[in-house]
Amino acid sequence: MDVRILEGVAVGTSTARLAASLYLSRQGIEYRIGLMMRRFEAGNRPELVSRAHSLGVLSVGAWPPRVLPEFVES
């Protein structure tokens, strides 16, 4: 779930749209983004995406950015 949320944040999808497409509440999306921000030590969404890119979690040179397979837990 976090993979799809991070990819959505990376392309600028709103919380409401993410919630609707993932069948979660807006609060649930915000909670999960907050957890990712703490994990990546990011202060806001743009910084979260930037840190994910710099750590090699998100694909480079492709749009939309995708979380690389080695970071996806089965």
Side-chain angles (χ1 to χ4, degrees):
M1 188 62 62
D2 287 346
V3 167
R4 296 196 54 204
I5 293 171
L6 180 58
E7 290 172 349
V9 170
V11 297
T13 306
S14 71
T15 299
R17 188 169 296 238
L18 278 171
S21 68
L22 298 174
Y23 304 102
L24 295 172
S25 68
R26 290 188 322 269
Q27 295 82 3
I29 296 291
E30 289 294 340
Y31 174 76
R32 295 188 79 112
I33 290 171
L35 290 177
M36 284 188 278
M37 287 172 55
R38 282 191 287 285
R39 192 176 318 137
F40 284 92
E41 298 179 359
N44 54 41
R45 288 176 183 215
E47 188 176 357
L48 171 63
V49 173
S50 177
R51 287 184 183 263
H53 267 290
S54 69
L55 293 170
V57 174
L58 291 172
S59 61
V60 177
W63 189 262
R66 296 285 180 215
V67 172
L68 297 174
E70 56 264 25
F71 294 99
V72 177
E73 295 177 4
S74 299

